[in-house]
Amino acid sequence: MTGDDPQGRYDSYVALGDSFTEGLSDPGPDGSVRGWADRLAGHLAGHAPGLRYANLAVRGRLLGQVVSEQVPVAARMRPDLVTFCAGGNDLLRPGGDPDALAEALEVAVRRLRGAGAEVVLFTGFDTGRQARMRMLRGKIATYNMHIRALADAHDCRVVDLWPMTVLDDPRAWGEDRLHLGPEGHRRVALRACEVLGVPVAEDWREPWAPAEPRDWVTARRTDLRWAREFLVPWLGRRLRGQSSGDGRTAKRPALSPVVGTPPARCQR
């Protein structure tokens, strides 16, 4: 961290996690995935030119994999700032235990803090308003409680996604309805900036414009296409014991300078 302005000025930043942090459903200009972490890095670089950024997140990763594969690499980089969000894929599985996840998370937090990094943790979304995910609400709430307690114990900041009701709008989500879309990623990046004290011109709380009405037939056709293109393949991978991240590596495996400016407001 630079010394002349402690708020929002970092020399190096590493993002750890799964598809949420990798940036699925937020395509960049070159077709690669972008996401809130890339957007946050752009905001940080606007206040600290020369910021170096790595994103080790890989879609489909379980918390244990993030801890064993990504945390040691990040600790060796000794960055000023680390964002850590993982555990959602574990909770999607029948045996996902939020208490056990919290124990693994604390191991990661201890190591990253020991390497001198400021650590930012993320709570899970409130799925109570999503019919297909409502049954997970209790487990997510329990895990969030652990996350907040760990943050207090180890002096970490928290980006609390649970009360972000602005993300309840379907336009915040991608076509797969599981990952945030461009506008959702933009708002999460702005929320992270707020937590870190990074000045930004936009407000993540900004109300949505009125949505265009859809007739019943169009809505059902959209649901059927979603089931065919996303739900069925996802269920198939679960049955085969496969992950969307099998064979994949980090999109930005080493610290390197951030080029360009934060993406402009999304048109949705």
Side-chain angles (χ1 to χ4, degrees):
M1 186 182 299
T2 58
D4 54 336
D5 182 4
Q7 282 201 325
R9 295 184 62 87
Y10 300 91
D11 292 323
S12 52
Y13 162 41
V14 179
L16 308 181
D18 50 31
S19 57
F20 171 66
T21 301
E22 184 184 350
L24 258 63
S25 296
D26 183 16
D30 61 355
S32 62
V33 294
R34 182 170 45 188
W36 66 265
D38 287 16
R39 293 168 180 270
L40 172 60
H43 287 297
L44 293 171
H47 297 279
L51 172 85
R52 296 173 301 137
Y53 163 57
N55 189 320
L56 307 183
V58 178
R59 65 194 70 178
R61 289 298 191 260
L62 302 173
L63 176 63
Q65 293 173 310
V66 176
V67 173
S68 64
E69 298 170 5
Q70 299 176 25
V71 169
V73 177
R76 287 194 294 271
M77 293 178 180
R78 301 192 70 82
D80 295 329
L81 175 68
V82 170
T83 56
F84 189 109
C85 183
N89 289 322
D90 300 79
L91 294 176
L92 282 170
R93 288 163 167 74
D97 180 357
D99 299 326
L101 291 176
E103 293 179 5
L105 177 60
E106 185 164 23
V107 171
V109 170
R110 286 183 180 276
R111 181 157 189 184
L112 294 169
R113 293 292 285 148
E118 179 172 348
V119 176
V120 178
L121 302 176
F122 285 67
T123 64
F125 298 102
D126 182 356
T127 60
R129 293 173 291 273
Q130 303 174 30
R132 64 191 181 280
M133 303 282 281
R134 192 171 295 139
M135 75 290 294
L136 299 174
R137 192 174 192 238
K139 291 202 296 185
I140 295 172
T142 301
Y143 188 41
N144 286 351
M145 177 188 67
H146 285 300
I147 289 170
R148 296 185 186 101
L150 284 173
D152 288 342
H154 298 284
D155 195 23
C156 303
R157 303 194 196 208
V158 177
V159 175
D160 195 354
L161 302 176
W162 184 273
M164 289 184 67
T165 55
V166 70
L167 298 179
D168 291 346
D169 193 293
R171 289 171 289 180
W173 296 84
E175 289 187 348
D176 66 1
R177 304 182 183 179
L178 184 62
H179 299 97
L180 292 174
E183 179 63 8
H185 280 287
R186 184 185 73 89
R187 289 176 185 257
V188 169
L190 293 174
R191 176 74 177 101
C193 286
E194 181 180 76
V195 169
L196 289 168
V198 180
V200 290
E202 300 166 272
D203 188 349
W204 62 268
R205 303 172 186 82
E206 182 182 356
W208 292 84
E212 296 182 4
R214 289 195 307 169
D215 61 82
W216 186 90
V217 173
T218 300
R220 297 296 74 75
R221 285 176 177 169
T222 301
D223 290 342
L224 288 172
R225 184 172 65 85
W226 167 77
R228 181 177 64 252
E229 296 182 7
F230 299 106
L231 179 60
V232 172
W234 183 83
L235 291 173
R237 288 196 301 271
R238 294 285 78 77
L239 291 172
R240 295 189 298 271
Q242 296 176 335
S243 167
S244 58
D246 287 348
R248 289 186 173 271
T249 56
K251 67 177 185 180
R252 197 178 174 103
L255 287 169
S256 59
V258 175
V259 179
T261 58
R265 176 187 300 273
C266 306
Q267 299 299 321
R268 299 280 290 180

